[in-house]
Amino acid sequence: MAVQVLILILLMLALPAVAGGLCAGAYHEGKSLIFRWVSGQFLLWAGFQVISVPMILRQQSLTRLVWVFAGYAAVLALGGAALEIWRRKKEDPRAFRPERRQGKHRKHRENALLWAVFGALLAFQLAQAVLLVFDDADDAYYVSVASLAESSDAMFQRSPYAEGGMEMDYRHALAPFSIWIAFLARLSGVRTVVVAQVVLPVVLISMAYGIYYLFSRVLFPEQGGQRALFMLFTEILVLFGNYSVYTSETFLIGRSRQGKATLGSIVVPFILFLLLTLFRKLQEKEKIPAPLYVLLGAAGLTGCLCSTLGVLLASMAIGGGGLFAAVCYKRIKVLLPMLVCCVPCGGCALLYLLLK
C-alpha cells in the first residue's frame, strides 16, 4: 500500500512540479513551487486530451494509452528538469541574494496566526471532502466508466449501467476526464473508486486553493497579511457556498472527482489568472513570453478534457480576453496568438459536430 501511495504522490505532485519548469517563464514568480505544480498539471492534462481522444475513437486499449501517455509525461519531466538545470547554471547566484533577504523580510511581516487559521480550515475541508463523501447521481456514470476502463482495459466500450457493450458515447469520449482517473488507478494499483473519492478531492481542492493563492500574489504583491485575509475569505465563501447543488463551491467540495467540477473550480480560475498576468504585462509594456500562450492553450485543452461545455467556456474566456487586451491596451498583435490558443478548442468542437 505504501508503494501505491508513493506512486500517486509522484504522479500528482512531483511529476507536475517538475514538468511545470517548462513554463516557469510565463510568470514573473515562476520559481514558485505552487505555480510550477499547477502549470505542470495543465501541461499533462492537455497532453492527455490530445493523446487519449484519438485512441478512444479508434477503440484502443487502456494499457496502450497508459504507455503512450507515460512516455509523454516522461518527456515533459526530463525537459523540465533539464531546463531547470540549465537555468540554474546560467543565473548568477549573487544576483538573488537581495531578493532572498527581501523575501525573508516579507515573511516576517505576514500574520502567522491568519495563515494558521487558513491551514486549519483547509485541513477541515479536505477531511470533510473525504470522510463525508457521498455518491452523487453522476457518479453512476463517471466513476463507473473509469472502473470499467481499468478492469476491462476497454474505454467507452462497456455500458456503466448494465452488462454488455454499448455504442460509443461521443459526448463523453471527447471529454475523457474519467479515463484520466482510470490511468491513475492503473499505474498506481489503487482501486479506481479510492482514487476518485479519496485521492482526487484532496489534490484538486488543494490545487484550487493554490490558484487562489496565485491570485493573491498578484493582487497583494507586498502584503502577506492581506494575502492571508484573501485566502480566509475565499475559504469562508466555499464553506458557506452550499446554498444550491449547482454552485461552484458545492462542486469543488463534493464533486471534484467529476470533470465539470474541475472545469468550474480549477480550469476557469486558472484561465482568468493567466489573463490577469497577460493584462499586467501589457499594462507595463513588457514582452509577452511564449510560455504564457502555451499555458493558455493547455488550459483550453484541459477545459475540453473536463467537459464538452469546456470547449465553449474556454474559447469564450481566452478569445474574449484577447479581444479585451487588443482594444484596451491597443495591442492588435496579441489577437493572433490568442486566436491560436483557441484553435485546439475549435478542433474539439468541430470533431464533436462531425461525429454527432
Side-chain angles (χ1 to χ4, degrees), residues 178-247:
S178 55
I179 303 300
W180 177 67
I181 299 176
F183 161 79
L184 294 175
R186 171 64 65 85
L187 210 57
S188 65
V190 180
R191 292 181 59 187
T192 309
V193 176
V194 176
V195 173
Q197 297 189 343
V198 177
V199 178
L200 285 188
V202 174
V203 175
L204 296 181
I205 292 173
S206 301
M207 183 176 292
Y209 280 108
I211 295 174
Y212 300 150
Y213 178 72
L214 293 177
F215 270 108
S216 73
R217 293 182 70 94
V218 176
L219 297 175
F220 311 106
E222 299 293 337
Q223 301 175 8
Q226 292 194 10
R227 293 180 193 172
L229 284 174
F230 174 85
M231 297 300 295
L232 276 174
F233 280 122
T234 303
E235 280 188 324
I236 292 172
L237 289 175
V238 173
L239 281 172
F240 293 93
N242 189 27
Y243 54 86
S244 169
V245 296
Y246 300 109
T247 62

Side-chain angles (χ1 to χ4, degrees), residues 102-150:
Q102 184 181 5
K104 291 181 180 179
H105 183 63
R106 286 201 301 267
K107 290 181 180 179
H108 288 309
R109 291 185 291 144
E110 293 177 355
N111 193 320
L113 178 60
L114 290 176
W115 284 114
V117 174
F118 166 77
L121 287 177
L122 177 60
F124 172 76
Q125 291 185 17
L126 296 178
Q128 294 296 89
V130 174
L131 297 177
L132 300 182
V133 65
F134 61 94
D135 291 329
D136 182 79
D138 288 339
D139 288 340
Y141 185 89
Y142 293 108
V143 178
S144 297
V145 165
S147 298
L148 286 172
E150 197 279 328

Side-chain angles (χ1 to χ4, degrees), residues 17-333:
V18 175
L22 293 171
C23 291
Y27 180 48
H28 68 281
E29 295 185 10
K31 293 184 178 181
S32 168
L33 182 60
I34 294 178
F35 176 77
R36 292 193 179 194
W37 174 45
V38 175
S39 60
Q41 185 61 69
F42 271 83
L43 292 177
L44 292 169
W45 273 333
F48 191 86
Q49 171 71 0
V50 173
I51 293 171
S52 64
V53 169
M55 298 186 71
I56 290 172
L57 296 180
R58 297 184 61 184
Q59 298 186 352
Q60 299 289 325
S61 65
L62 177 65
T63 301
R64 181 169 296 183
L65 172 61
V66 167
W67 282 106
V68 174
F69 181 71
Y72 167 79
V75 171
L76 283 187
L78 291 175
L83 185 60
E84 179 63 21
I85 294 174
W86 175 81
R87 189 183 294 116
R88 289 181 179 273
K89 288 184 177 180
K90 186 178 178 181
E91 293 172 346
D92 184 5
R94 295 174 297 178
F96 293 94
R97 290 178 183 175
E99 183 179 351
R100 289 172 183 171
R101 290 196 297 267
Q102 184 181 5
K104 291 181 180 179
H105 183 63
R106 286 201 301 267
K107 290 181 180 179
H108 288 309
R109 291 185 291 144
E110 293 177 355
N111 193 320
L113 178 60
L114 290 176
W115 284 114
V117 174
F118 166 77
L121 287 177
L122 177 60
F124 172 76
Q125 291 185 17
L126 296 178
Q128 294 296 89
V130 174
L131 297 177
L132 300 182
V133 65
F134 61 94
D135 291 329
D136 182 79
D138 288 339
D139 288 340
Y141 185 89
Y142 293 108
V143 178
S144 297
V145 165
S147 298
L148 286 172
E150 197 279 328
S151 61
S152 67
D153 205 29
M155 301 178 289
F156 292 103
Q157 297 179 35
R158 300 191 61 177
S159 174
Y161 302 121
E163 294 185 1
M166 70 172 185
E167 295 182 359
M168 179 66 68
D169 183 359
Y170 292 112
R171 183 169 73 89
H172 293 100
L174 295 179
F177 190 81
S178 55
I179 303 300
W180 177 67
I181 299 176
F183 161 79
L184 294 175
R186 171 64 65 85
L187 210 57
S188 65
V190 180
R191 292 181 59 187
T192 309
V193 176
V194 176
V195 173
Q197 297 189 343
V198 177
V199 178
L200 285 188
V202 174
V203 175
L204 296 181
I205 292 173
S206 301
M207 183 176 292
Y209 280 108
I211 295 174
Y212 300 150
Y213 178 72
L214 293 177
F215 270 108
S216 73
R217 293 182 70 94
V218 176
L219 297 175
F220 311 106
E222 299 293 337
Q223 301 175 8
Q226 292 194 10
R227 293 180 193 172
L229 284 174
F230 174 85
M231 297 300 295
L232 276 174
F233 280 122
T234 303
E235 280 188 324
I236 292 172
L237 289 175
V238 173
L239 281 172
F240 293 93
N242 189 27
Y243 54 86
S244 169
V245 296
Y246 300 109
T247 62
S248 59
E249 295 86 355
T250 302
F251 272 70
L252 173 63
I253 298 297
R255 304 171 68 176
S256 54
R257 57 192 172 273
Q258 299 172 9
K260 53 189 175 183
T262 303
L263 172 65
S265 303
I266 295 179
V267 178
V268 173
F270 189 63
I271 291 177
L272 295 179
F273 166 75
L274 294 176
L275 291 177
L276 179 60
T277 303
L278 175 69
F279 298 156
R280 284 293 181 93
K281 290 186 177 295
L282 291 175
Q283 184 177 6
E284 297 173 2
K285 297 182 179 179
E286 297 180 0
K287 182 179 179 181
I288 308 300
L292 182 57
Y293 292 123
V294 172
L295 282 179
L296 281 169
L301 275 170
T302 304
C304 302
L305 170 70
C306 294
S307 172
T308 49
L309 180 61
V311 175
L312 177 62
L313 293 180
S315 299
M316 289 178 60
I318 298 173
L323 184 61
F324 177 86
V327 173
C328 295
Y329 296 100
K330 299 179 180 179
R331 294 282 296 272
I332 305 299
K333 293 182 179 180

